[in-house]
Amino acid sequence: MVTLAGGVDERLARQIGFLVEIDKLKNVERMSVISDASRRENTAEHSWHLAMCALVLADRAGPEVDIGRAILMCLVHDIVEVDAGDTYIYAPDRSHKADAEAAAADRLFGLLPDELGAELRSLWEEYESHETPTGAFAYSIDRLQPMLLNAVTGGRTWTENGIRQSQVREKNQPIEAGSSDLWMLASGIIDTAVDEGVLAPD
Amino acid sequence: MVTLAGGVDERLARQIGFLVEIDKLKNVERMSVISDASRRENTAEHSWHLAMCALVLADRAGPEVDIGRAILMCLVHDIVEVDAGDTYIYAPDRSHKADAEAAAADRLFGLLPDELGAELRSLWEEYESHETPTGAFAYSIDRLQPMLLNAVTGGRTWTENGIRQSQVREKNQPIEAGSSDLWMLASGIIDTAVDEGVLAPD
């Protein structure tokens, strides 16, 4: 707990309480390894990397995408993992993920002043449903970034989990709805990985 | 290196090259420890935390602050540390920091297509000079966040480095220019730390 001195209003105390709570995302381990393959990535640094991808690849989004909002989605999209943890995209059973994340969203966004919690929750929900152009772009970035880390680490998480080409194509197909350029890039990464024997060709 | 398949344009190759290069920020260690004091923070996750602070504390900025731009500054403000590393705010000799970071900015932002590199560099420079209201707010967030981590870890980095109250007041005074509310919060954290014997009272 932060010991807040007198004079700090109740609203600010809630804002700071939330910001301290989400620091825990720095200890949530993902399957991806970082680019030098020295260790697994955590969700906090992953979220930063996604936001940077959205900023740098903004020209690959359609004109109807609000890049500023897509960046905010990248920042908040995995906050629910403070409680729910990360679920590997190719895990056989992902059935509990949605319920666990919804409960986490209730608790975590509920730490904030009401309208601010609602604002952050709406960003998370738009990312999760990825039905709007902006949500679809943020979602495509979240699919692409682990592929980039696989591309520079010899497909580390693909080989250690025995992932096959068809799985990667199926799970990453949503990239196409977010950006045709990024889907072409992703497809090229998959093709190269198959050529190099990193991904099993099915 | 990412092996990029045919069909990927030269511009996209430069964008991806930059995004892979800045992944190295996940291995740049800062003095701060994360909130459970289990390890030091790295610059990538620190940058995410700052961006979240700017988003959540937006109502503490003046009306002339562009919060979206402040968030972008938080994302890019330490990219130069890929080459220059982190320099502790209370380090006795910080004289080489500016030159090392300028050279790093030349190399790193130079990896990008020209106009995109210039855009990111302008964000970094506005943060560094912190002369605009938006730059001052982003700068204040970068000062505040390590104080929050000290507040929840019993002043870990203050006690291990023998930091005194006057040093903390002097180095964090720029918070006031960014947000009077956040300066009141920071002052309260300092007062509490002195009361608790965590910061030497000079």
Side-chain angles (χ1 to χ4, degrees):
Chain A
M1 271 293 292
V2 188
T3 307
L4 296 170
V8 170
D9 56 85
E10 162 69 16
R11 180 180 166 89
L12 184 53
R14 293 184 71 176
Q15 291 168 302
I16 298 301
F18 175 82
L19 290 169
V20 169
E21 183 68 12
I22 65 171
D23 191 80
K24 293 177 181 169
L25 227 49
K26 298 171 186 170
N27 274 334
V28 174
E29 191 172 81
R30 294 168 44 77
M31 185 64 76
S32 291
V33 292
I34 63 175
S35 59
D36 67 358
S38 59
R39 62 168 174 81
R40 297 206 188 276
E41 188 186 43
N42 72 59
T43 301
E45 63 198 3
H46 162 72
S47 300
W48 166 78
H49 209 185
L50 290 202
M52 283 304 305
C53 287
L55 174 60
V56 166
L57 298 170
D59 63 335
R60 309 298 166 163
E64 66 283 24
V65 172
D66 177 340
I67 290 293
R69 189 166 168 83
I71 289 170
L72 299 188
M73 287 181 197
C74 292
L75 293 174
V76 307
H77 82 292
D78 273 346
I79 281 178
V80 292
E81 293 187 3
V82 166
D83 287 352
D86 186 62
T87 306
Y88 186 39
I89 188 172
Y90 304 107
D93 182 5
R94 289 167 53 94
S95 60
H96 302 297
K97 184 173 183 284
D99 287 349
E101 291 189 348
D106 288 345
R107 187 184 79 79
L108 291 159
F109 297 130
L111 296 173
L112 286 167
D114 289 353
E115 93 294 346
L116 190 52
E119 180 189 336
L120 266 63
R121 187 173 185 134
S122 83
L123 288 164
W124 173 66
E125 289 176 344
E126 188 174 340
Y127 156 83
E128 275 291 311
S129 65
H130 52 94
E131 288 168 353
T132 64
T134 302
F137 183 68
Y139 201 81
S140 73
I141 293 288
D142 187 39
R143 286 288 185 270
L144 178 69
Q145 185 259 2
M147 297 189 70
L148 294 179
L149 292 178
N150 263 307
V152 294
T153 59
R156 171 66 67 98
T157 64
W158 291 335
T159 56
E160 71 182 6
N161 290 284
I163 304 301
R164 307 185 71 81
Q165 177 191 189
S166 58
Q167 293 173 277
V168 179
R169 285 203 189 280
E170 180 199 335
K171 286 287 187 184
N172 292 291
Q173 183 71 40
I175 294 174
E176 190 167 17
S179 167
S180 54
D181 281 4
L182 298 185
W183 178 239
M184 187 169 67
L185 171 66
S187 298
I189 290 172
I190 295 170
D191 291 344
T192 302
V194 172
D195 288 347
E196 293 176 348
V198 164
L199 271 178
D202 296 287
Chain B
M1 273 294 291
V2 188
T3 307
L4 296 170
V8 170
D9 56 86
E10 161 68 16
R11 180 180 165 89
L12 184 52
R14 293 184 71 176
Q15 291 167 303
I16 298 301
F18 174 81
L19 290 168
V20 168
E21 182 68 12
I22 65 171
D23 191 80
K24 293 177 181 170
L25 228 48
K26 297 170 186 171
N27 274 335
V28 174
E29 191 172 82
R30 292 167 45 76
M31 185 64 76
S32 291
V33 293
I34 64 174
S35 59
D36 67 358
S38 60
R39 62 169 174 81
R40 298 205 188 275
E41 188 186 42
N42 71 59
T43 301
E45 62 197 4
H46 162 71
S47 299
W48 166 78
H49 208 185
L50 291 202
M52 285 303 305
C53 288
L55 174 59
V56 166
L57 298 171
D59 63 334
R60 309 297 166 165
E64 66 283 26
V65 172
D66 177 340
I67 290 293
R69 187 165 170 84
I71 290 170
L72 300 187
M73 286 180 199
C74 292
L75 293 173
V76 308
H77 82 293
D78 273 346
I79 281 178
V80 291
E81 293 187 2
V82 165
D83 287 352
D86 186 60
T87 306
Y88 186 39
I89 187 174
Y90 304 108
D93 182 6
R94 290 167 52 95
S95 60
H96 302 299
K97 183 173 183 283
D99 286 350
E101 292 190 349
D106 288 344
R107 186 184 80 81
L108 291 160
F109 297 129
L111 296 173
L112 286 167
D114 290 353
E115 92 295 346
L116 190 52
E119 181 189 335
L120 267 62
R121 186 170 187 139
S122 83
L123 289 164
W124 172 67
E125 289 176 345
E126 188 174 340
Y127 155 82
E128 275 290 313
S129 66
H130 53 95
E131 288 168 353
T132 66
T134 301
F137 183 68
Y139 202 82
S140 73
I141 293 288
D142 186 39
R143 286 288 185 270
L144 179 68
Q145 185 258 4
M147 295 189 72
L148 294 178
L149 292 178
N150 264 307
V152 295
T153 59
R156 173 65 68 98
T157 63
W158 291 334
T159 56
E160 70 182 7
N161 291 285
I163 304 301
R164 308 184 72 81
Q165 179 191 188
S166 58
Q167 291 173 279
V168 179
R169 286 205 188 279
E170 180 198 335
K171 285 288 186 183
N172 292 291
Q173 183 72 39
I175 294 175
E176 190 167 18
S179 167
S180 54
D181 281 5
L182 298 185
W183 177 239
M184 186 168 67
L185 171 66
S187 298
I189 289 172
I190 296 171
D191 291 343
T192 303
V194 173
D195 288 347
E196 293 176 347
V198 163
L199 270 180
D202 296 289

